[in-house]
Amino acid sequence: MSQNSSSSLLINRPKISTKISLIFSLADRLLKWYDRQSDTHTKMPWRGEADPYCIWISEVMLQQTQVATVVDYYRRWLEHFPNVQSLAQANLDEVLKVWEGLGYYTRARNLHRAAQVIVSDYNGEFPQQYNTIKTLPGVGEYTASALSSIAFNQAVPVVDGNVLRVYSRLLCLVDDIRNPKTKLLARAGLQKLIPQDRPGDFNQALMDLGRNVCQPRQPQCHVCPVQELCCAYNRNRTGDFPVKSKAKATPTFQIVVGIIYKDGKVLIQRRPPKGLLGGLWEFPGGKIEAGETPENALIREIREETGLEVEIGSQLTQLKHAYTHFKINLTCFVCEYQSGTARPKASTALRWVKPGELTKFAFPKANQKILPLLTPDK
DNA sequence: AATGCGGGGAG
DNA sequence: CTCCCAGCATT
């Protein structure tokens, strides 16, 4: 795993001829390859789209999210919110419902807010300057660069995870790509390589290459259009790049939730607007503390969160779910209402809902796995 | 600079 | 199962 530092330093200096070749032929080869990838373009409904609104939606959905996952969400989003005005006027609940299951729900809230900014501050017209675009909620360096280059043809390089991996292998970069400075380094390097005439296609070609050819594991170098320019390939060391430090291990929490029945309805609560799963609906419950039985934890959590007293019934299901920084083992019980009036204590709202109506609300994935198990008319 | 924030695919 | 993937906002 660890190379000694003197050899690592040496490999960070590609031959001068390699650098010259990069400058003269990287863009040329990439764009010729890009133009031949009709299958790839066909799979992405936003590819070739001229409307900045559509490009914006696609780029935000693609943050940390794979193309195959985004495609259906993108189509459905445009059916609900075909333009910036319709999004600005929409209800946040409706926006979250369309985003439901896609993750990182702040993105949906920021899209909603940004649409309102565009309507109120820019007369509904998408801003065209990089610096202005970047002020929109939810738009950082990557998305501002993507929009500037793809929608407005400005020569601004994008540096997402795919591009960083490609760049690292091309140059045998010793810098840890987890270090934010490495991104700046790549951005500066790519600024010299991006062609003025087709900056958007160049950026998309690099990302396509990273996703489909220069993959994290087992890169497909035999079909790579820039194989001869690649330092890692030429040294037979593609497995050594990019250099990336290990992530910390994530803890696992024991969680218990309850489906509380009363008069044929079940109780759901809405999470606070910010933070984890912000604004989504869920079943009451929480962490099982040390030394606590799941049943006792659930009685305690329901009392703390809603003020209700319940009787724990049968175990409905048990499931595992992974978040970014922790994992949960979730146990779900059916509960019977005993006494008390439900008041939102840990949440912003409580609702008694018929099981058949639950799909109208936006639930996180872990809760969605429970919904099909509920009997429609208990 | 470090941390919080979902979900999905490959092996 | 386990491992790996990846932008923005906040602090």
Side-chain angles (χ1 to χ4, degrees):
Chain A
M1 175 65 202
S2 61
Q3 283 281 325
N4 72 56
S5 57
S6 61
S7 91
S8 290
L9 281 175
L10 285 176
I11 56 176
N12 194 26
R13 302 173 192 279
K15 285 179 294 187
I16 293 296
S17 59
T18 305
K19 289 186 181 173
I20 302 289
S21 303
L22 271 181
I23 292 168
F24 282 104
S25 58
L26 179 74
D28 197 45
R29 290 177 190 224
L30 268 181
L31 289 170
K32 282 199 171 76
W33 171 82
Y34 181 79
D35 290 337
R36 280 187 269 116
Q37 306 304 305
S38 50
D39 284 357
T40 302
H41 305 319
T42 308
K43 284 179 186 148
M44 296 187 255
W46 51 86
R47 191 55 64 85
E49 178 61 59
D51 184 351
Y53 171 76
C54 298
I55 299 171
W56 173 47
I57 299 302
S58 72
E59 287 301 340
V60 172
M61 287 185 170
L62 286 163
Q63 292 168 7
Q64 309 287 95
T65 310
Q66 302 187 347
V67 170
T69 307
V70 166
V71 169
D72 286 345
Y73 279 94
Y74 172 82
R75 290 212 174 92
R76 216 154 48 92
W77 183 280
L78 289 184
E79 286 170 16
H80 282 84
F81 316 116
N83 50 52
V84 71
Q85 285 78 14
S86 59
L87 177 56
Q89 290 163 11
N91 183 301
L92 179 58
D93 284 311
E94 190 189 351
V95 172
L96 283 174
K97 182 61 190 173
V98 178
W99 195 271
E100 179 187 32
L102 198 51
Y104 288 128
Y105 297 91
T106 302
R107 293 185 292 175
R109 296 195 299 275
N110 282 337
L111 278 176
H112 190 221
R113 281 174 52 211
Q116 294 170 342
V117 170
I118 292 170
V119 167
S120 63
D121 295 6
Y122 304 106
N123 198 26
E125 196 91 359
F126 209 96
Q128 300 197 14
Q129 294 305 314
Y130 173 90
N131 287 329
T132 313
I133 296 171
K134 195 169 174 300
T135 65
L136 295 171
V139 175
E141 191 166 82
Y142 164 78
T143 308
S145 302
L147 276 164
S148 299
S149 61
I150 299 169
F152 304 119
N153 226 33
Q154 294 162 19
V156 188
V158 297
V159 185
D160 72 343
N162 289 311
V163 172
L164 207 49
R165 184 173 56 255
V166 171
Y167 190 79
S168 167
R169 285 180 176 152
L170 274 174
L171 297 180
C172 288
L173 209 62
V174 293
D175 306 68
D176 182 355
I177 62 166
R178 215 179 274 280
N179 185 337
K181 284 182 182 170
T182 307
K183 198 173 275 187
L184 296 177
L185 193 75
R187 187 173 162 85
L190 288 165
Q191 187 65 64
K192 298 172 187 163
L193 300 170
I194 190 170
Q196 301 293 315
D197 54 339
R198 297 179 63 187
D201 288 346
F202 174 81
N203 282 337
Q204 293 183 96
L206 267 181
M207 294 190 281
D208 286 2
L209 189 75
R211 187 178 58 252
N212 297 329
V213 178
C214 194
Q215 298 145 331
R217 290 182 275 211
Q218 296 172 0
Q220 309 293 301
C221 300
H222 57 286
V223 295
C224 179
V226 294
Q227 185 195 85
E228 300 93 322
L229 308 178
C230 180
C231 175
Y233 175 80
N234 285 323
R235 297 179 185 191
N236 201 21
R237 296 193 52 189
T238 53
D240 293 340
F241 300 95
V243 174
K244 189 173 186 181
S245 54
K246 287 276 181 193
K248 277 188 284 187
T250 55
T252 301
F253 299 118
Q254 308 302 320
I255 302 291
V256 60
V257 305
I259 314 298
I260 307 170
Y261 281 96
K262 182 192 177 197
D263 303 330
K265 294 180 177 176
V266 301
L267 187 64
I268 59 174
Q269 58 184 6
R270 194 219 258 278
R271 296 178 61 91
K274 290 188 174 185
L276 182 70
L277 307 168
L280 272 68
W281 293 81
E282 65 178 10
F283 299 110
K287 279 184 205 169
I288 304 173
E289 304 291 351
E292 216 174 19
T293 67
E295 288 84 353
N296 287 341
L298 185 53
I299 288 172
R300 176 182 56 74
E301 288 285 354
I302 289 173
R303 188 181 293 145
E304 288 173 5
E305 293 185 343
T306 71
L308 294 184
E309 298 299 324
V310 301
E311 183 180 314
I312 308 294
S314 61
Q315 180 178 315
L316 185 62
T317 186
Q318 209 163 22
L319 59 89
K320 296 177 188 296
H321 191 76
Y323 294 85
T324 311
H325 294 290
F326 60 91
K327 295 190 271 283
I328 62 170
N329 292 330
L330 185 151
T331 308
C332 178
F333 287 97
V334 175
C335 302
E336 199 63 40
Y337 167 84
Q338 295 288 105
S339 63
T341 302
R343 303 247 185 258
K345 300 191 173 193
S347 59
T348 56
L350 288 173
R351 291 275 293 267
W352 291 101
V353 182
K354 289 180 195 164
E357 309 281 296
L358 286 171
T359 55
K360 292 182 178 173
F361 299 84
F363 284 91
K365 276 283 174 180
N367 273 245
Q368 280 178 45
K369 295 174 186 172
I370 298 172
L371 297 187
L373 305 175
L374 301 184
T375 48
D377 47 359
K378 179 183 155 116

